Amino acid sequence: MRVTRRILTGCALALGMGAAFTGVMGSEAQAWEPKKPVEMIIMAGTGGGADQLARLIQGIIDQNKFSPRPFIPINKPGGSGAEALRYVQDKAGDDHVVLVTLNSYYTTPIINQGLGVDVTQFTPLGLMALDTFQLWVTADSGIDSLDAWVKTVKAADSWNVGGTGKGQEDSILFAMLQAEFDIKNITYIPFPGGGTVAKNLIGKHIATTVNNPSEQMQFYKASQSVPLVQFTDERLAAFPDVPTAKELGHDIVYFMQRSFNAPPGMSKEAQEFYIDLFGKVFHSKQWQDYCHEEGLMCEKYVSGNELAAFHDTALARHKALIEKVGAKAITGE
């Protein structure tokens, strides 16, 4: 069965969100700013792509004095991001909480409907990047191509792979590969974060991952792991010699959205502040250099209503994907 997934690869132009100043009794009132530290909730564990991104952005905000109050990263990986989503839902109206999201922003509420979370009611802030996926094996595995990987996996009694959580991006991509190549013997092992996944590949506790580049890069540079194929439309500058699945005749394209969102009911003034702040981060040299070096796609900054439309499209596409391959194929339950 051929499965094709595309998460919007083109991004709209940034919203122009200037700071608002209103005359009050003949004097100017300052635009909204945080009055206390901002909770930066990460819906994944430490060491993974989302965690690295959040802590880098925290540093950029601090170094450039983009905010009068600090941003505090807080990891809440439980339940494939369900813990983080429920926490943010329950913070409705709070102007001092932002959420670092992955594609589990869509999949976890779809699969776990009893969670009681409606992400369409969250406050959209800014899309920072589209992250990418590659199929990774250890450098000494003897596998040097996608075709060789498929043959090796099918010849094995069982094949252990690993990823972040259940029903999240990694398990979705493995479900797509299983459907595409009619593979029956994969065992998916969930971990709390992409950093842990990468370490378990190098430790040979699992045989394959679909880590984002930032999660596997240190091992790749140390010649301990190799990417066999990229699930992008075109080859990334970071991996010019690695073919895409499309080049090899398999139309499997999948991206991870890296965006900031906030609780339902955030004030318009606070939303505008965060849209402007994350726009400054996006256009900073530090962020753009990181995107280039780590294989992220950071061409356009999308925010506010345009980001809400992006989420609507991605949510519908993930619902269709889950219906096609089945939630059981994704969660392993």
Side-chain angles (χ1 to χ4, degrees):
M1 174 174 60
R2 181 174 299 277
V3 181
T4 303
R5 289 299 301 133
R6 295 177 182 274
I7 298 301
L8 204 58
T9 58
C11 297
L13 294 175
L15 294 175
M17 304 299 292
F21 292 90
T22 305
V24 179
M25 297 181 65
S27 63
E28 291 186 338
Q30 291 294 321
W32 186 91
E33 291 183 335
K35 309 300 187 296
K36 60 182 181 179
V38 177
E39 295 182 31
M40 183 186 284
I41 306 301
I42 306 165
M43 52 190 304
T46 58
D51 183 65
Q52 292 181 41
L53 176 149
R55 295 177 192 281
L56 172 64
I57 289 178
Q58 175 201 28
I60 294 173
I61 293 170
D62 184 59
Q63 292 164 22
N64 293 279
K65 303 186 184 305
F66 288 154
S67 172
R69 296 290 184 270
F71 281 59
I72 311 299
I74 302 172
N75 298 86
K76 291 185 177 291
S80 297
E83 177 189 6
L85 290 169
R86 186 69 252 181
Y87 180 84
V88 174
Q89 173 103 3
D90 293 342
K91 287 287 185 175
D94 194 323
D95 287 347
H96 293 81
V97 176
V98 298
L99 176 67
V100 183
T101 64
L102 302 80
N103 287 359
S104 49
Y105 184 69
Y106 314 121
T107 58
T108 293
I110 294 172
I111 294 172
N112 185 5
Q113 296 187 9
L115 184 61
V117 169
D118 181 1
V119 296
T120 66
Q121 298 304 306
F122 282 26
T123 304
L125 301 177
L127 177 67
M128 305 304 294
L130 294 176
D131 209 344
T132 60
F133 295 87
Q134 292 75 33
L135 188 68
W136 297 89
V137 294
T138 57
D140 60 0
S141 68
I143 302 173
D144 60 3
S145 68
L146 176 61
D147 183 58
W149 180 80
V150 172
K151 290 179 180 178
T152 302
V153 172
K154 285 189 170 184
D157 292 332
S158 63
W159 195 264
N160 290 343
V161 304
T164 302
K166 289 184 177 182
Q168 293 186 226
E169 306 79 13
D170 295 356
S171 57
I172 285 175
L173 195 42
F174 275 119
M176 292 164 65
L177 287 166
Q178 288 178 272
E180 178 74 10
F181 296 105
D182 192 28
I183 297 173
K184 308 293 187 183
N185 60 338
I186 279 181
T187 299
Y188 179 85
I189 301 173
F191 294 92
T196 304
V197 174
K199 291 175 182 177
N200 273 273
L201 175 66
I202 303 306
K204 299 185 179 180
H205 304 296
I206 51 178
T208 307
T209 75
V210 286
N211 276 125
N212 303 125
S214 62
E215 298 166 340
Q216 195 63 238
M217 193 63 77
Q218 63 173 315
F219 301 116
Y220 171 63
K221 290 181 177 179
S223 299
Q224 293 178 282
S225 63
V226 294
L228 303 176
V229 66
Q230 307 186 66
F231 301 106
T232 52
D233 286 295
E234 298 178 353
R235 296 189 187 194
L236 298 173
F239 305 103
D241 299 323
V242 180
T244 67
K246 288 180 68 175
E247 289 177 50
L248 302 176
H250 306 285
D251 196 7
I252 304 176
V253 179
Y254 192 68
F255 293 97
M256 168 93 79
Q257 60 90 17
R258 302 288 192 186
S259 70
F260 281 92
N261 299 274
M266 172 175 276
S267 71
K268 185 65 177 177
E269 295 78 11
Q271 181 189 23
E272 291 179 356
F273 171 85
Y274 291 117
I275 287 174
D276 180 67
L277 178 144
F278 289 123
K280 291 175 180 176
V281 172
F282 180 90
H283 293 292
S284 70
K285 186 176 186 302
Q286 298 106 305
W287 179 249
Q288 290 298 320
D289 285 349
Y290 177 79
C291 288
H292 178 76
E293 293 167 3
E294 302 295 337
L296 280 74
M297 300 173 65
C298 306
E299 298 176 1
K300 301 290 183 182
Y301 179 57
V302 178
S303 61
N305 291 336
E306 289 178 315
L307 178 54
F310 174 97
H311 286 324
D312 288 343
T313 299
L315 185 62
R317 288 175 171 172
H318 277 88
K319 285 180 180 177
L321 173 63
I322 290 170
E323 289 174 2
K324 191 164 188 176
V325 303
K328 188 173 182 179
I330 295 172
T331 61
E333 297 173 349

